[in-house]
Amino acid sequence: MPAQDLLSPQAMVTSNMTHFSPTFYLTGFPGLEAIKHWIFIPFFCMYLMAISGNCFILIVIKTSPRLHTPMYYLLSLLALTDLGLSVSTLPTTMGIFWFNYRSICFGACQIQMFCIHSFSFMESSVLLIMSFDRFVAICYPLRYSVIITGQRVIRAGLSVILRGPVALIPIVLLLKFFPYCGPLVLSHSFCLHQEVIHLACVDTTFNNLYGLMLVVFTVMLDLVLIALSYGLILHTVAGLASQEERLRAFQTCTSHLCAVLVFFVPMMGLSLVHRFGKHAPPAIHLLMANIYLFLPPMLNPIIYSIKTKEIRHAISRLLGLRKANATSWG
């Protein structure tokens, strides 16, 4: 049998079969197989920028004692979250590009969707905590060092790490007990809960409602609280005496505000496409999912490197030190 037949959904599965632990098949980039090697280039660059950029941010913060403050501990947590999100999709996406390997066993699919959704919820929570940090810094600057302490940041970080994964465990585990039938083909190059659940042959009302409530009480609630914190920040900034003070106060928020927009705008776009774009071309769903998962990890290191003066200075010192060491060894 030719290799291409092995990869077609019709050859891989039959519609009247039911599976309790199936093998799914990742579509990847339908209709673009002929230019797959060209698509690989931008995806490889995005992965390279995301992984190297976030690792570099972590190294800069760790090697710069001046950045050992609560604000930059939170930035480290954001970089770790972005790193985890990038690594979660890396194996299957690169497997399709390099080896044309599209099948994924049910257990691996569960682990991947658990990691993707967990890191997404974690990023939302980290952005919320960072917004509270900016709120205290601008609205209560004299009490900042008392309210925002290293111990409280650690506690908040632990709650962030545990909230998403613990809440996801029930619906991810429940997938194991569903029978699946029909062509077991997923439309992305990675596993998402909202796609896998549509392939189940039984009533999935609980998973659908639980997933909706989970998004509402985590991501949507985080977004509302972030918007509320920025409303209070704008109110405080508007009350400052001089325009220079207002500009300086608002500049401390620009990096975080850009990170919020980069994360939540693609997420809302993807949600709208899933809810109301059922008849939209598959390429639209594919594009929105890839933007949502790849854009924040790639852009956040760039945003904080450009917009945050302390990070720029730390990078300059780090690069200058390495250049000096290289010169001395030479």
Side-chain angles (χ1 to χ4, degrees):
M1 184 181 293
Q4 58 268 28
D5 291 341
L6 292 174
L7 295 173
S8 65
Q10 293 78 8
M12 293 185 296
V13 291
T14 52
S15 60
N16 60 354
M17 292 182 66
T18 302
H19 310 262
F20 279 89
S21 292
T23 296
F24 294 111
Y25 298 91
L26 304 170
T27 305
F29 307 91
L32 301 175
E33 289 81 3
I35 57 172
K36 181 181 66 175
H37 298 294
W38 292 107
I39 302 176
F40 163 78
I41 296 174
F43 271 86
F44 178 78
C45 291
M46 285 190 292
Y47 274 119
L48 184 64
M49 292 175 65
I51 294 174
S52 61
N54 285 290
C55 287
F56 190 64
I57 290 290
L58 290 170
I59 292 170
V60 166
I61 293 174
K62 181 172 177 56
T63 57
S64 302
R66 294 182 183 180
L67 301 183
H68 294 176
T69 61
M71 175 183 172
Y72 294 102
Y73 292 153
L74 291 173
L75 180 56
S76 298
L77 191 56
L78 182 66
L80 283 172
T81 303
D82 283 333
L83 199 57
L85 194 58
S86 298
V87 173
S88 297
T89 59
L90 179 64
T92 51
T93 304
M94 290 297 103
I96 291 174
F97 279 125
W98 286 342
F99 308 111
N100 205 27
Y101 189 79
R102 299 175 182 272
S103 62
I104 181 170
C105 68
F106 186 80
C109 187
Q110 273 186 305
I111 293 171
Q112 186 178 51
M113 76 171 72
F114 178 78
C115 291
I116 290 174
H117 294 303
S118 292
F119 284 118
S120 295
F121 289 143
M122 286 170 61
E123 180 143 356
S124 173
S125 301
V126 173
L127 291 172
L128 172 62
I129 298 173
M130 294 176 81
S131 73
F132 179 73
D133 173 82
R134 293 299 84 205
F135 163 72
V136 175
I138 292 175
C139 299
Y140 303 98
L142 299 179
R143 299 180 59 194
Y144 177 82
S145 59
V146 177
I147 298 173
I148 307 295
T149 63
Q151 189 176 12
R152 287 178 178 170
V153 168
I154 291 172
R155 289 176 183 173
L158 288 175
S159 67
V160 163
I161 291 171
L162 294 175
R163 185 182 75 158
V166 170
L168 279 168
I169 287 173
I171 55 173
V172 173
L173 288 181
L174 199 58
L175 294 174
K176 182 74 174 177
F177 303 99
F178 291 158
Y180 298 88
C181 54
L184 304 179
V185 179
L186 303 177
S187 60
H188 300 297
S189 56
F190 38 80
C191 291
L192 296 175
H193 175 269
Q194 57 264 36
E195 272 205 295
V196 173
I197 198 67
H198 287 157
L199 300 178
C201 303
V202 293
D203 182 30
T204 58
T205 302
F206 174 79
N207 269 51
N208 290 328
L209 290 178
Y210 187 97
L212 178 61
M213 297 302 291
L214 187 59
V215 170
V216 168
F217 286 104
T218 53
V219 178
M220 297 309 296
L221 180 61
D222 291 348
L223 182 58
V224 169
L225 293 175
I226 290 171
L228 178 62
S229 69
Y230 270 101
L232 296 172
I233 287 172
L234 287 174
H235 181 267
T236 301
V237 170
L240 295 176
S242 68
Q243 184 176 356
E244 184 180 352
E245 287 179 339
R246 290 195 293 269
L247 184 60
R248 189 186 307 116
F250 193 71
Q251 280 178 341
T252 64
C253 298
T254 53
S255 299
H256 176 259
L257 187 57
C258 289
V260 168
L261 293 175
V262 163
F263 178 75
F264 282 103
V265 170
M267 173 180 280
M268 289 188 289
L270 180 61
S271 299
L272 290 173
V273 167
H274 273 294
R275 294 279 180 251
F276 306 108
K278 294 181 180 179
H279 301 293
I284 299 297
H285 291 264
L286 186 68
L287 178 65
M288 292 305 301
N290 284 315
I291 288 175
Y292 163 59
L293 289 177
F294 292 126
L295 201 64
M298 182 183 68
L299 290 185
N300 281 340
I302 299 174
I303 290 170
Y304 277 94
S305 298
I306 294 174
K307 292 290 186 180
T308 308
K309 181 175 66 176
E310 292 80 1
I311 292 288
R312 291 201 308 269
H313 290 170
I315 291 173
S316 299
R317 286 193 298 270
L318 181 63
L319 294 178
L321 178 63
R322 291 186 174 180
K323 184 178 180 180
N325 288 338
T327 305
S328 64
W329 281 102

